[in-house]
Amino acid sequence: MSGRRSRAFAQEHAQADAGRGHREDAGQSRAGQFGREPGTDDGAQAKRRRKTPDAGPVDAAAPIVKPDRAGRGQEHGTERSRDRHRDRLVNRRALVQQYPGQSRDRDEPAADAEKSGQQSGAGTDQQQLKDEHKHLSQNSKTRIMSEHVGSRWQLLARLMTTSVFRWLGMVVLAATSAAGTVPALADRSDEREVFREGWEAAARGDQSAVLQAILALPDYPLTPYLEFELLRQRVDRVPETVFEQFLARYRDWSFHPALERSWLRSLGRRGLDAELLRHGRDSTDTEVRCHVARADLGAGRIEGLADRVFDLWLVGQSQPDACDPVFAWWRRQGELTPDRAWQRFHLALATGEAGLARYLRRYMNEDQRLWTDRWLAMKRRVDATLGQARNWTDHPQARLIVLDGIKRLTRADHERAAFRWSQFDRRFDWAPEDRSAVERELALFRAVALEPDAVAAIDRLAPALVDQQMLEWRARAAMANQDWAAVLDSIQSMAISEQARGRWRYWRGRALAELRRPDAALAYASLASETSYYGFLAATRLGLDLTLCNEDLAVDPEIQRRLLRDAELDRALELNRVGLEWHARRTWWHVSQRLRAAERRQAALLAAAQQWHDRAIRDLGDTGTLQAYAWRFPLVEKGTVTGLARVHGVDPALVFGLMRAESAMQTDALSPAGARGLLQLMPTTAAEVARRHGIAYRSRAELYRAQTNIALGVAHLGELQTDFQQGWIHVAAAYNAGSNAVRRWLDTRPYSEADVWLETLPFYETRDYVPRVLAFATIYEWQLQRPPAVLGQQVLPGLAPSNQQFECQDNR
């Protein structure tokens, strides 16, 4: 292969199996970690990403919809038994906090009952409300409201009648004295709408509307989320006791970490050192730690402070501005030595922070600055700097810089790197381990490039250098060059645990078949009964039906009743209903950690009944319920998908398979690269597709709406299908890695058979992604009540029997 390959192609090589394993199970997905924690700096979402239909409260008597293979619903009724949530709302006295100088006579029995969690009785409640109310003048009420929600409420408060404050007092008392009650189940549709309006008001910064929503929702389980937003937006103005009590009460709620972090940062910014030190000593947030260090410095507590500041300073990226005062003090103490600057310089290089690396140069001595300049030059222009390095004196730093450059150039152009290495091989006094590391890297990337002599290059390495990664690429280079004996030898040299994986069992069968060995059929047969990409391929090569044994999950009424009495699980379900997906997932995860496997399976059914498919998929996978295919591969937005697939000429099974692989059916999925929604579209791609097809699309937030995301995603798939002549292997690869990368691979890498081409792709992610999409699409063919055709048409054309079906011979 020519040495004139592009940097983009070279960067593909850098991904060559850095220890990544292949997920064998057809049901595993890369989703689940998507999303950003809301609420700390950016405020509430401008609009909810998704408005879940109001289906009423989920309870054990509500129909549990079991998705059948045609996408219809089968109802599993259970008897109605549901108590409302146990945890009560925040003590709303925090929002009308009594200020110093205001006396308040309290009914002592009621106060005692509040502290103990007991009810004090209706008559006592009313008397207490009157006692509390009469001690607050109208001016006090106006001032308190103004302090907490702004000037708009000041005028409104003057217009309020005393009955409103009596109502507010009742809200406060209800939140405290009735903490032990479990009210009866009620329809929450009206409350949800009020909550949504309050949440959107919080996004607009309309604090008066938020408070109105809070007052209108005295018994709604999500009201504390509105209180959280109100406190977060007024973090610099709320008294310490209010925050302290609120955070203590809601310690395990999803908003707690963000609110606590925001409050502690606010204390530090405002110089409230006493409060900060009382509450922030144990914080792990970098900004808070710097504020705490500054507070200790101001109080003269400097014992051990220099070491704490050094830990904050010695990182590979710039730290928050809050750290500047303690860093300045630390430097004045003479703690910033050239050697420490050199340490951080290398950390900055490792994280790609060239600006920080250049900044640190000023703290080094003259000799270190010389090497700093050479390091930075090598990062900017690797080949040219390697040419200059031939004139460098042999020095430990020179060897480190050259080694780094050779390894980086190898990933860009291994042939050029081999030439440069030949210039340094005898020039410097290399340690044996350094020489071996370079030779291994060069051999590895020859194999990634599928060069004919790659197997021989690997065989010249010392045996200790030939690990699992090298054996895998030895096998791939051999199969690309039709050296099936070397493929078989590579597999048999792997550890037994690796040989047992479906991937290498399949390729062992392929090698045996190519070598016309009689045991090839036996190798395929050992794999053909598995529901996976490689199992499906093995069965197809043997002319067999595909094995798919669905596990039908039954509702356990007793467990579901118990789960639905759980206030935290109820809260998670309600959060999902109103569209607060991030908070819902975090709350659900917290609940799931204390549930037994049987309970998690039943919780998954509750989630599925609410169309919360990504949680059902995750919980069933985590509990090993991998064969519940009807539940783990739901037909999300079936009508939308099938209709749009028909318009754009795309197989709906492939759309569902790709959607399942991309997002695990999580509507608000957000990848580190910025891809969004069910089909993980990048905003720029979405905008271009929308323009070409006349699809309404205004902002990236719309990609979290299922129907918009599917419309744009299916249209994009139709375009890719046209570009790649209906070849879905290439379509799926382009969807994952980009069309340009796939065209480059088709131009530069041998294409003989589809399964070989897929196995030898240089992107480890794409190499695993496409088989996963195809396996998922095959399962969706079963869901759509169709015979399997995807794998036969796309990977093994001409080999699948014409009457191939799904079967189950379950010997469990």
Side-chain angles (χ1 to χ4, degrees):
M1 182 175 287
S2 169
R4 297 188 302 272
R5 53 173 57 84
S6 71
R7 179 172 300 276
F9 178 55
Q11 289 171 346
E12 299 158 12
H13 290 182
Q15 300 191 45
D17 285 6
R20 291 289 188 110
H22 176 67
R23 287 171 283 197
E24 297 293 345
D25 169 50
Q28 297 304 308
S29 169
R30 70 178 184 175
Q33 70 280 11
F34 299 98
R36 175 181 55 82
E37 178 183 7
T40 301
D41 300 310
D42 300 328
Q45 300 169 7
K47 290 288 181 182
R48 59 184 179 277
R49 288 176 176 174
R50 165 167 73 92
K51 182 174 178 179
T52 307
D54 289 333
V58 172
D59 76 332
I64 304 298
V65 181
K66 168 195 168 186
D68 68 5
R69 289 172 55 187
R72 298 184 295 269
Q74 298 174 356
E75 295 183 357
H76 294 257
T78 58
E79 62 179 295
R80 180 178 298 276
S81 174
R82 171 70 159 80
D83 292 325
R84 291 187 70 180
H85 58 92
R86 290 183 181 276
D87 65 344
R88 306 296 299 169
L89 305 181
V90 66
N91 182 348
R92 288 176 180 78
R93 195 178 312 279
L95 296 179
V96 287
Q97 179 75 13
Q98 178 178 322
Y99 282 14
Q102 295 176 330
S103 62
R104 182 175 296 185
D105 294 333
R106 298 199 56 190
D107 179 20
E108 293 304 324
D112 291 341
E114 175 183 335
K115 292 177 182 177
S116 63
Q118 301 171 359
Q119 298 185 40
S120 60
T124 308
D125 293 350
Q126 295 298 326
Q127 182 62 43
Q128 181 184 359
L129 289 174
K130 293 177 182 178
D131 290 343
E132 291 183 341
H133 177 258
K134 69 183 180 182
H135 290 288
L136 286 176
S137 67
Q138 186 64 45
N139 287 338
S140 296
K141 296 166 189 172
T142 302
R143 180 166 58 83
I144 292 168
M145 195 71 73
S146 175
E147 283 292 327
H148 283 282
V149 295
S151 58
R152 182 176 174 185
W153 260 98
Q154 189 167 3
L155 176 59
L156 184 59
R158 291 197 180 106
L159 299 176
M160 281 182 163
T161 64
T162 56
S163 62
V164 173
F165 283 93
R166 185 177 298 112
W167 176 37
L168 180 57
M170 292 174 66
V171 169
V172 171
L173 185 64
T176 57
S177 65
T181 63
V182 183
L185 181 66
D187 179 47
R188 291 174 175 166
S189 57
D190 292 340
E191 292 174 297
R192 283 185 200 118
E193 194 56 39
V194 173
F195 177 86
R196 288 177 179 130
E197 291 172 358
W199 191 255
E200 292 178 358
R204 299 191 303 271
D206 187 349
Q207 296 171 9
S208 63
V210 177
L211 183 57
Q212 284 180 316
I214 291 170
L215 297 177
L217 298 171
D219 294 318
Y220 186 53
L222 303 190
T223 305
Y225 283 86
L226 295 176
E227 297 165 350
F228 147 65
E229 268 298 310
L230 198 60
L231 290 172
R232 187 191 65 79
Q233 292 184 16
R234 300 188 58 79
V235 68
D236 292 340
R237 301 174 64 179
V238 177
E240 175 190 8
T241 53
V242 174
F243 261 109
E244 186 176 20
Q245 292 170 10
F246 188 85
L247 291 171
R249 187 178 183 89
Y250 298 105
R251 183 165 301 280
D252 294 328
W253 287 48
S254 58
F255 54 67
H256 183 279
L259 183 60
E260 181 180 53
R261 182 169 59 247
S262 180
W263 179 49
L264 293 175
R265 289 178 177 180
S266 170
L267 293 176
R269 287 194 305 270
R270 289 181 286 155
L272 300 178
D273 293 351
E275 293 89 338
L276 175 66
L277 295 176
R278 272 198 297 274
H279 302 287
R281 281 278 184 203
D282 298 328
S283 176
T284 58
D285 179 69
T286 297
E287 182 175 335
V288 174
R289 290 172 63 200
C290 285
H291 282 309
V292 169
R294 178 199 48 76
D296 281 336
L297 178 62
R301 289 187 290 269
I302 63 173
E303 184 177 355
L305 184 60
D307 291 338
R308 287 163 51 197
V309 175
F310 178 56
D311 290 340
L312 287 165
W313 181 84
L314 191 62
V315 293
Q317 65 278 342
S318 297
Q319 295 289 53
D321 292 345
C323 299
D324 291 348
V326 289
F327 286 170
W329 168 82
W330 183 73
R331 286 195 300 271
R332 289 195 300 270
Q333 306 308 303
E335 296 287 342
L336 179 47
T337 64
D339 287 343
R340 285 180 166 179
W342 184 250
Q343 272 185 279
R344 194 180 184 192
F345 170 80
H346 282 284
L347 293 174
L349 287 181
T351 55
E353 293 284 345
L356 175 61
R358 285 192 295 271
Y359 165 79
L360 290 165
R361 182 181 182 278
R362 70 188 66 183
Y363 299 111
M364 299 177 190
N365 58 41
E366 185 176 351
D367 185 54
Q368 288 171 327
R369 289 176 183 173
L370 169 67
W371 297 115
T372 296
D373 293 341
R374 289 176 172 179
W375 271 109
L376 291 171
M378 188 66 77
K379 294 296 183 183
R380 287 194 305 270
R381 299 181 301 127
V382 59
D383 187 47
T385 306
L386 282 172
Q388 296 169 5
R390 290 178 299 168
N391 300 318
W392 294 353
T393 303
D394 188 9
H395 183 277
Q397 280 300 323
R399 293 194 291 273
L400 286 174
I401 296 172
V402 169
L403 277 176
D404 179 76
I406 291 292
K407 289 179 180 179
R408 291 178 60 237
L409 184 58
T410 299
R411 288 160 169 76
D413 184 342
H414 71 275
E415 292 180 346
R416 184 67 177 173
F419 168 72
R420 286 300 188 192
W421 176 242
S422 68
Q423 296 177 321
F424 289 99
D425 190 16
R426 305 298 177 188
R427 185 178 297 273
F428 288 170
D429 184 17
W430 299 106
E433 58 270 21
D434 292 336
R435 188 183 300 277
S436 296
V438 172
E439 291 171 352
R440 181 192 183 280
E441 199 82 351
L442 291 170
L444 172 63
F445 282 93
R446 293 181 77 150
V448 171
L450 307 179
E451 294 192 351
D453 61 347
V455 171
I458 293 174
D459 291 345
R460 287 193 294 270
L461 296 174
L465 300 177
V466 184
D467 55 10
Q468 177 63 25
Q469 183 187 37
M470 295 298 295
L471 288 171
E472 290 184 5
W473 275 106
R474 185 179 189 272
R476 292 185 182 111
M479 68 179 71
N481 290 283
Q482 300 294 301
D483 186 353
W484 292 101
V487 173
L488 185 61
D489 178 63
S490 299
I491 295 170
Q492 292 176 340
S493 298
M494 296 176 186
I496 296 299
S497 60
E498 293 294 333
Q499 293 185 47
R501 293 172 58 199
R503 165 177 258 140
W504 299 116
R505 287 158 62 199
Y506 172 77
W507 286 111
R508 180 175 180 273
R510 281 281 272 125
L512 291 170
E514 294 291 341
L515 295 170
R516 302 187 182 280
R517 293 264 297 268
D519 46 348
L522 183 61
Y524 283 144
S526 70
L527 185 61
S529 61
E530 296 183 9
T531 306
S532 68
Y533 169 75
Y534 294 106
F536 292 156
L537 290 186
T540 300
R541 286 190 174 277
L542 291 175
L544 301 176
D545 290 336
L546 304 188
T547 297
L548 195 152
C549 295
N550 179 56
E551 180 181 351
D552 192 13
L553 301 181
V555 170
D556 186 318
E558 179 57 34
I559 292 180
Q560 288 204 354
R561 279 195 293 271
R562 188 164 65 248
L563 289 172
L564 288 166
R565 295 190 194 104
D566 187 303
E568 192 174 21
L569 186 136
D570 174 52
R571 183 165 70 248
L573 292 170
E574 192 66 17
L575 284 164
N576 183 62
R577 282 194 189 95
V578 299
L580 271 64
E581 288 94 344
W582 187 91
H583 288 289
R585 279 194 305 277
R586 186 177 178 91
T587 304
W588 185 273
W589 176 86
H590 195 265
V591 174
S592 69
Q593 300 309 294
R594 55 179 169 80
L595 297 181
R596 303 191 310 272
E599 293 172 323
R600 288 190 73 178
R601 284 191 287 270
Q602 292 299 313
L605 300 189
L606 290 173
Q610 192 170 295
Q611 307 299 304
W612 196 3
H613 298 295
D614 61 284
R615 291 306 91 190
I617 290 167
R618 174 66 55 144
D619 276 17
L620 291 174
D622 287 349
T623 57
T625 317
L626 302 180
Q627 291 186 291
Y629 296 113
W631 302 91
R632 295 182 62 237
F633 292 85
L635 292 162
V636 174
E637 298 285 344
K638 181 185 176 184
T640 301
V641 170
T642 54
L644 289 168
R646 191 180 308 112
V647 169
H648 294 285
V650 180
D651 188 335
L654 288 163
V655 177
F656 278 120
L658 190 141
M659 188 189 302
R660 176 63 167 77
E662 284 286 342
S663 66
M665 303 309 185
Q666 182 177 315
T667 56
D668 69 329
L670 175 65
S671 79
R676 289 163 164 80
L678 287 170
L679 285 165
Q680 288 291 277
L681 289 166
M682 295 295 290
T684 51
T685 301
E688 293 167 0
V689 172
R691 184 176 62 254
R692 288 193 293 267
H693 291 268
I695 300 172
Y697 173 72
R698 291 180 298 277
S699 71
R700 62 185 59 190
E702 291 187 277
L703 294 177
Y704 297 120
R705 293 181 61 248
Q707 293 192 346
T708 300
N709 191 283
I710 293 169
L712 293 167
V714 175
H716 182 44
L717 288 171
E719 292 177 341
L720 292 175
Q721 197 167 261
T722 300
D723 290 346
F724 291 101
Q725 291 79 48
Q726 312 299 310
W728 246 81
I729 287 176
H730 304 141
V731 169
Y735 202 91
N736 177 256
S739 296
N740 290 337
V742 174
R743 292 190 183 96
R744 189 163 56 247
W745 296 338
L746 289 170
D747 289 343
T748 59
R749 303 176 77 80
Y751 189 97
S752 53
E753 297 172 277
D755 58 348
V756 173
W757 188 79
L758 270 178
E759 182 60 40
T760 57
L761 290 178
F763 275 13
Y764 68 80
E765 182 181 340
T766 307
R767 193 169 59 245
D768 289 353
Y769 171 84
V770 178
R772 191 162 64 251
V773 168
L774 295 174
F776 289 178
T778 301
I779 294 172
Y780 274 109
E781 288 182 297
W782 171 83
Q783 275 281 58
L784 293 166
Q785 294 187 306
R786 290 169 24 184
V790 166
L791 282 174
Q793 293 171 358
Q794 300 295 332
V795 184
L796 302 176
L799 291 181
S802 59
N803 60 344
Q804 191 176 47
Q805 300 291 329
F806 291 102
E807 69 166 6
C808 178
Q809 296 180 356
D810 195 349
N811 297 320
R812 290 174 299 168

